[in-house]
Amino acid sequence: MHGLGVACGVVAGAWLGTAEAPTKLVTAGFSPTVISLCMVAGVFVARWTLPTLMKGTRYVFRDLRIRAHLIVWGILAGALWAVANTLTVYAIKDVGLSIAFPLWNTNSLVGLLWGCMLFRELRGAGVKTWLKVVGGGVAVVIATIALGLASVHPSAGAHAAHGGAGVIAALGASLMWGTMYLPYRKAYLSGMNPLSFVTVFTVGELGTMSLVAWLLPGQGAALSTQLHLLRPAMFWLFLGGFCWVIGDMFQQYAAKYVGIGRGIPLANTNQLWGLAWGAMVFSELHGVSDTNRIVIIASSLLMIVGAIAIGSASAAAKEHHSRNLAIARECERYGLDYDEAVALQSGLEGEGSARAWWDYVIVALGLGLFAWLSIGTRRPPLDLNVSWAAGLTVTVLIVLFAGGWLLWKRTRFS
């Protein structure tokens, strides 16, 4: 399952990076909170549509009923995500995507620390494995920081010099997201399916985001007005939320099969994809010096080397035993079946539930909402390269289908 977890982490990086592109709309004068609310609404639709399409609601609700104690953890994780996502939009507005991205991607080190402290990750691993995982994670973070600094053109650098609040927002998002991975790991050690977890996760994120949008100073009174003005571009934000959910689902599978210490740094290679969208589609690197271009190439190679190191650090028998001890602790605490939890952790489960008629209604409603939002949609008021946008879109779709086929072949999305 190690190879499968690594593949899921790579797919997650591609789609999480792609999902950030629509947040460029903050430069068009819209409130970051309203931008975030629209993206979260798209996330909400996707988190119900995709699991229903892949497994069916009967399966999801049966899984939640067996592990009901994890519902509150899923809601908490969703709330943390909503706050972090709002902070990222403010960070992008103040310091730009190229600087904000690497700062909040330090969440992989936060997640690694929590995983080692609370869930026995890397316990029993040899020195070589520790060096690969920790060293690879640090390499990814260093590469993201170098990429962010080298990607700033002169005009953006002058703006970023006054963007202390944006830096704080990005670091706050890193802490929120790094801590959000705790409920992830807790759920999967208990045997919960990632599709079930993301379904309840969305309750916390949409509820929290709605509350934030209403209560922030200056937001409540103008909320309906800004949503009305944003209507012609709302489709793109919903699409961004949908893309994020695809990336997050693969990130969840990566966290399940290789742990947060390995899975999250792999998913954080989204910096490469974010750089590709920023540079090729939005021309964010226009005016960057030759020296910085060399740094960008070197940093990208360092990130790839770090990802390869993490991907090659498969767990040995002692580390698997340590993981099983963590599973046993969760099962004893909540009265779960240990053998079943171990089997589910390995992607093994019995036959799923038959689909209900309302599953097709849910999927149809989700598709119908996107069709309705597409009516009257206009191209965002930004300068972008359509050819590069089309090329990157095709690339991430190929990555998605390859990773999805592998996940289906080995686990039937378990």
Side-chain angles (χ1 to χ4, degrees), residues 3-12 15 54 246 250 253 395-413:
L4 177 61
V6 170
C8 289
V10 172
V11 178
W15 281 82
M54 296 163 72
I246 293 175
F250 277 95
Y253 280 112
T395 302
V396 296
L397 285 174
I398 292 173
V399 171
L400 170 64
F401 287 124
W405 177 82
L406 186 63
L407 189 59
W408 166 255
K409 180 182 177 182
R410 293 193 181 180
T411 72
R412 294 299 190 268
F413 301 127

Side-chain angles (χ1 to χ4, degrees), residues 64-142:
L64 292 174
R65 185 172 61 253
I66 294 174
R67 299 166 184 84
H69 68 281
L70 291 169
I71 292 176
V72 66
W73 288 98
I75 293 174
L76 175 61
L80 289 171
W81 183 91
V83 174
N85 188 65
T86 304
L87 289 173
T88 64
V89 181
Y90 277 100
I92 292 171
K93 182 179 180 180
D94 285 351
V95 297
L97 185 62
S98 297
I99 293 180
F101 224 27
L103 289 176
W104 75 58
N105 264 6
T106 56
N107 61 35
S108 60
L109 297 183
V110 177
L112 176 61
L113 177 64
W114 285 124
C116 293
M117 290 177 59
L118 300 180
F119 298 114
R120 305 181 63 88
E121 289 196 13
L122 294 178
R123 301 278 183 91
V127 175
K128 187 176 180 180
T129 299
W130 268 92
L131 289 176
K132 285 182 177 181
V133 175
V134 178
V138 171
V140 169
V141 171
I142 292 175

Side-chain angles (χ1 to χ4, degrees), residues 182-205:
L182 295 182
Y184 282 29
R185 193 58 175 156
K186 189 176 184 69
Y188 304 143
L189 288 174
S190 299
M192 177 171 277
N193 188 298
L195 298 177
S196 306
F197 186 75
V198 299
T199 300
V200 69
F201 182 102
T202 193
V203 176
E205 64 185 345

Side-chain angles (χ1 to χ4, degrees), residues 255-334:
K256 176 177 180 178
Y257 291 127
V258 294
I260 55 181
R262 291 176 173 88
I264 304 310
L266 287 172
N268 279 359
T269 56
N270 60 358
Q271 169 70 4
L272 289 176
W273 296 92
L275 176 66
W277 281 94
M280 299 175 183
V281 178
F282 299 111
S283 302
E284 287 191 348
L285 297 187
H286 180 70
V288 170
S289 67
D290 291 338
T291 300
N292 280 2
R293 292 182 188 277
I294 294 174
V295 173
I296 289 171
I297 294 173
S299 300
S300 299
L301 292 175
L302 177 61
M303 182 176 292
I304 292 172
V305 169
I308 292 174
I310 296 170
S312 64
S314 57
K318 289 184 178 180
E319 192 174 348
H320 282 298
H321 176 67
S322 181
R323 181 206 65 182
N324 290 343
L325 290 177
I327 294 175
R329 182 188 62 189
E330 295 296 309
C331 290
E332 181 179 358
R333 179 175 295 167
Y334 299 108

